[in-house]
Amino acid sequence: SEMSPVGRTKTLPAFGSHVSKMSFAFASCQNYPAGYFTPYRHMAEEDLDLVFHLGDYIYESGVSATSIRPHNSPEIKTLDDYRNRYALYKSDSDLQLAHAKFPFVVTMDDHEVENDHAGLVPEDGQPVEPFLARKAAAFQAYYENMPLRSSSLPSGFNMQLYRRFNYGNLANVHVLDTRQFRGVQVNNGGGSPRTPESTSVDRSIMGEEQEQWLLSGLYQSQAHWNIIPQQVFFCQRDVRIGDEKIYGMDAWDGYSANRDRILNFAKERGLSNLLVLTGDVHWNWANEIKADFNNPDSEILGAEFVGTSITSGGDGYDINDTQKAIIAENPHLKFFNSQRGYVRCTLTPESVQADYRVVPYVSRPGAPISTRASFLMEKGKPGLQKTYDGAVTV
């Protein structure tokens, strides 16, 4: 006796066909207790071809006394737990609007299973066997609730998430999985100087098979742009002000040799069309991908657009003196903002524009949305150009 609301989806352009424009948004990190999913209501009003979700679609944590909206159970571990958690998140009317309007391309990060896990290794030295059962349950519920190909059907605690598709001749999209095949994080994923372990040539955030798959895809790509939706901060980022250098070991900085192999390949192939889409950190960043991050004059191979969270981190803020100093010490990082929202991108054969769309609060419903900043990267003009700098919405 129930009636489902009407939704729609959209198919890809024919393989190799000429495409003059592509519009998409990307989002991540929607923690239900942290606030209302208002950004999705605004996203549903955009004119988009598709949406990328870059991970942390659900959070595994239990009920907290400080929650704006409580989770529906203690920390989730069983298949029924994970199914019920997806049911809670998908009951949100704002998220439903976005799903009803656009096809989603999804990949998971850590909270769909457990915070900061690495491959088959759980967080905080917990026993492995219960974690593997938990991971199998999490994968099963993820597959049941998300738009995935049949090739992603889980087999126990294994699931094929990295995959590729073409958007006509405009873009090749290489969706990555940086969680399932990574080595264990140095310093438990916290901040650390470079170490022999973090810089080891044997170290990988994506595994050898996926790395070769990505390089092969980049080698064969004839598209105007190579889009790489993935989870964690790709560009080098020194987070310590002053002479000492500290890097986040849960991100690509903790697997720098893996990143160097990709950058060296792109440089050798003469690629300058990489568009890396990133979530995870709950902040907006706009970054230039350099062949050598320690040499400001090295080639620019593309751009990394890092999107803030939907709700994780609460209402947020614009920028503070600490982040201004970090940008000054990392000249390839061009923009920072810590409000909630998503990033809207418009692609043509000649250029890509990223609009950082933000709301002033998620602690209560009904927030307005505005564009905080826009960046343009044009073919033949290396580097990001800021084309719009808006006031912070209040």
Side-chain angles (χ1 to χ4, degrees):
S1 62
E2 298 294 328
M3 293 293 291
S4 296
V6 175
R8 68 175 192 179
T9 190
K10 186 174 184 177
T11 56
L12 291 169
F15 179 80
S17 60
H18 174 73
V19 177
S20 60
K21 184 180 178 182
M22 174 188 184
S23 296
F24 62 86
F26 64 91
S28 64
C29 303
Q30 52 200 51
N31 192 346
Y32 190 89
Y36 293 90
F37 293 171
T38 312
Y40 279 125
R41 181 164 294 269
H42 295 292
M43 184 188 291
E45 297 172 353
E46 305 272 15
D47 182 14
L48 305 173
D49 296 305
L50 59 90
V51 173
F52 294 104
H53 198 284
L54 305 179
D56 297 343
Y57 190 94
I58 63 167
Y59 278 68
E60 82 285 18
S61 56
V63 179
S64 168
T66 60
S67 298
I68 293 172
R69 304 189 293 175
H71 269 153
N72 55 351
S73 71
E75 183 168 347
I76 53 177
K77 296 183 179 181
T78 69
L79 180 55
D80 282 346
D81 290 344
Y82 281 99
R83 284 170 170 166
N84 286 332
R85 188 58 55 86
Y86 280 101
L88 174 67
Y89 277 57
K90 285 178 172 286
S91 72
D92 183 274
S93 59
D94 295 335
L95 178 58
Q96 287 179 6
L97 281 175
H99 273 297
K101 187 77 177 289
F102 312 115
F104 272 51
V105 175
V106 302
T107 188
M108 65 162 57
D109 193 15
D110 55 341
H111 287 289
E112 287 92 348
V113 180
E114 177 189 68
N115 180 54
D116 284 351
H117 71 277
L120 303 181
V121 180
E123 182 187 25
D124 297 334
Q126 300 174 64
V128 173
E129 288 302 321
F131 170 71
L132 297 184
R134 180 183 187 177
K135 189 173 185 180
F139 279 6
Q140 177 68 26
Y142 186 79
Y143 183 81
E144 290 174 357
N145 282 278
M146 304 300 278
L148 289 162
R149 301 171 179 176
S150 58
S151 58
S152 292
L153 180 68
S155 176
F157 50 79
N158 296 295
M159 180 165 55
Q160 181 67 42
L161 273 177
Y162 67 85
R163 59 203 187 279
R164 181 179 294 116
F165 65 87
N166 305 292
Y167 204 87
N169 69 344
L170 183 58
N172 281 356
V173 181
H174 318 265
V175 182
L176 299 191
D177 176 354
T178 64
R179 188 60 59 177
Q180 198 172 174
F181 308 105
R182 64 163 62 197
V184 176
Q185 300 96 328
V186 172
N187 194 33
N188 293 320
S192 170
R194 289 197 180 94
T195 69
E197 182 183 2
S198 72
T199 59
S200 169
V201 296
D202 297 324
R203 191 162 176 75
S204 178
I205 196 172
M206 56 193 307
E208 182 178 356
E209 182 177 307
Q210 184 179 186
E211 181 178 330
Q212 292 306 311
W213 167 88
L214 174 61
L215 297 182
S216 175
L218 293 175
Y219 178 81
Q220 296 175 33
S221 175
Q222 299 297 313
H224 292 285
W225 299 97
N226 283 291
I227 303 174
I228 305 177
Q230 55 97 50
Q231 294 80 2
V232 295
F233 213 95
F234 181 79
C235 287
Q236 180 175 289
R237 181 173 53 131
D238 172 18
V239 299
R240 179 64 56 84
I241 300 168
D243 294 337
E244 184 184 16
K245 296 186 181 300
I246 298 292
Y247 304 96
M249 292 292 110
D250 189 56
W252 286 81
D253 276 332
Y255 306 81
S256 56
N258 193 168
R259 180 177 60 201
D260 289 344
R261 289 191 292 271
I262 295 170
L263 297 179
N264 290 338
F265 178 88
K267 180 181 177 181
E268 291 168 3
R269 291 287 302 164
L271 299 178
S272 59
N273 64 352
L274 303 183
L275 299 178
V276 176
L277 312 180
T278 299
D280 181 60
V281 294
H282 312 165
W283 291 330
N284 285 314
W285 294 86
N287 310 327
E288 293 175 346
I289 301 174
K290 307 285 286 187
D292 180 358
F293 290 111
N294 297 312
N295 177 9
D297 297 324
S298 67
E299 297 96 322
I300 296 173
L301 306 178
E304 178 185 21
F305 300 125
V306 182
T308 186
S309 63
I310 292 292
T311 58
S312 299
D315 289 342
Y317 57 94
D318 185 39
I319 189 170
N320 57 27
D321 290 342
T322 298
Q323 299 302 335
K324 290 177 181 178
I326 288 174
I327 287 177
E329 293 201 8
N330 297 267
H332 54 281
L333 308 183
K334 302 300 182 182
F335 172 70
F336 172 91
N337 167 271
S338 183
Q339 293 175 290
R340 308 284 74 89
Y342 56 90
V343 183
R344 178 184 65 197
C345 295
T346 304
L347 220 64
T348 71
E350 294 79 27
S351 66
V352 56
Q353 177 169 310
D355 303 314
Y356 288 83
R357 305 277 282 162
V358 299
V359 296
Y361 52 84
V362 292
S363 54
R364 61 189 191 276
I369 197 160
S370 61
T371 299
R372 174 61 185 85
S374 296
F375 284 85
L376 183 71
M377 176 167 278
E378 296 180 278
K379 287 272 190 75
K381 294 182 180 180
L384 287 171
Q385 309 165 48
K386 181 184 278 189
T387 58
Y388 179 78
D389 195 351
V392 179
T393 303
V394 295

